[in-house]
Amino acid sequence: MTDHDKDRQNDPEQGMPTAGRKPAPVENEADEVTQLLSGEGPTVETPRKALRDPATIDLDGPTRRLSVPSPEPVTPAEAEADEQHVGAPMDAAAGAAPTTDAPPTAEPAEVVPEKEPDRVPSPQAKSGLLSLRGRQASPAGLLILALLALFGFTLVVQLRSNDGDEGLASARQEDLVRILSDLEARDSRLQSEISALETSQRQLTSGVAGRQAALAEAEKRADELGLLAGTVAGRGPGLRIQIDGVKASAILNTVQELRGAGGEVMQIAGAENKAVRIVASSYFVDAEGGGVIVDGERITGPYLLTVIGVPQVMQTALQIPGGVVASVNSGGGSVTLEQRTLVEVTAVRAATTLRYARPAS
Amino acid sequence: MIAVLALIAGVALGIVFHPTVPPELAPYLPIAVVAALDAVFGGVRAKLDGIFDDKQFVVSFISNVLVAALIVYLGDQLGVGTQLSTGVVVVLGVRIFGNVAAIRRHLFRA
């Protein structure tokens, strides 16, 4: 009924005063009606019922004239007020109550001859109130109930739907577009971040790989150099050579022959089972009282020479006519060659620290 | 009262059935609800003022809802749907405040 209110605001003289407002200035009879209507329910209803009793309850608007003559003895002024009082509810019951902002309806025309126009709305509004509260509601009343139910229904539905999906489903198209573009910008930002991180990851990985390769290479070189320098024990295919009854020169010859035949790592052990690693700087000297001195260690025969290399090649080199085996045998010594798929050179030398030489590069 | 019972029944139906809002209706339902709320408060005020009228209430209720939805629809077509619905909500909010103030004056005399 906001339209009521609007009209009332626009046109204060019309209609009932709202609570807290002064009643609009009206003439006596209207004032009386106003007081009556704005009072509490029972005081309003009682006279009305008394008046309506005879035949008015089921009657439509036009027939209300039957009830207009009040059976009670009243003063003319009261009669007029009561009549208005009675007539109005009938209008409302007929479902065609004239309202303050609906003068074109037929009802006011009917009422006008009896009363002043400005008094008309009040009783009718009262009747509307009663019909809403009341018993057999008019079609309009039923419609109101339906509308209210619909209102509650949609209210709950809307609240629920807002709860449900964060409002995305009900968002407007431009909002969705804005959200989408935001997400896309964020996505591209994250994508560039991902690619940057992947690049740095690749760099780090390649760096690690390069460092690992370099480390492996260095370790390999260190091993090779260690084998050559005699600081690392070695194993591999090779020969075990048993020599007896020879001098240091014969041993030196044997070692040289083996080196020429591709022997890589060698050691020599005497009867004392003490092995000496043979490296580039090894020397052999005949010791007094038998035996030889190898790199400061005195060993005695028989000597066991262990060499890693290609067994066949080294054996062939030793057995070549006029070679080591022949000369040793002719010198009264003995040589025994034994090919092995795996020999172990366990003797190591302490690494020497070079005092003067430095790498040129 | 019956009116309140009808309102509660509607709420109960909404809770029980829990329908989903059709997407094409989604932008207009909130505005329509606010407009209906305005109409309901206006009706309560008119009732307290004693000038309630069935037909008037029905017509104003429906027309309020329809006009509000129409304005929003028009705004959507014009590309200013957000602003226009905000405007509608502001206007309806002002009216609701006015109606509630009248109801409050009537009930508490203050």
Side-chain angles (χ1 to χ4, degrees), chain A residues 42-85:
Chain A
T43 62
V44 179
E45 297 221 5
T46 315
R48 185 171 59 82
K49 262 189 185 162
L51 286 177
R52 283 177 56 170
D53 245 349
T56 61
I57 291 175
D58 293 328
L59 296 180
D60 280 338
T63 58
R64 105 191 106 82
R65 303 236 182 265
L66 295 176
S67 69
V68 168
S70 170
E72 296 179 8
V74 290
T75 66
E78 279 173 339
E80 198 170 330
D82 285 340
E83 174 190 323
Q84 177 191 358
H85 208 234

Side-chain angles (χ1 to χ4, degrees), chain B residues 22-66:
Chain B
E24 62 270 16
L25 220 60
Y28 311 118
L29 193 56
I31 300 296
V33 167
V34 175
L37 195 65
D38 170 47
V40 168
F41 275 119
V44 172
R45 174 189 179 179
K47 193 167 150 189
L48 291 175
D49 286 349
I51 54 172
F52 187 87
D53 174 64
D54 294 3
K55 195 175 105 187
Q56 177 94 24
F57 177 79
V58 170
V59 169
S60 76
F61 186 101
I62 295 176
S63 71
N64 265 12
V65 167
L66 288 184

Side-chain angles (χ1 to χ4, degrees), chain A residues 1-2 18 101 125 129 160, chain B residues 18 47 49-51 56 95:
Chain A
M1 296 315 279
T2 53
T18 53
D101 58 346
L129 169 64
R160 283 287 189 92
Chain B
H18 195 322
K47 193 167 150 189
D49 286 349
I51 54 172
Q56 177 94 24
R95 290 174 52 123

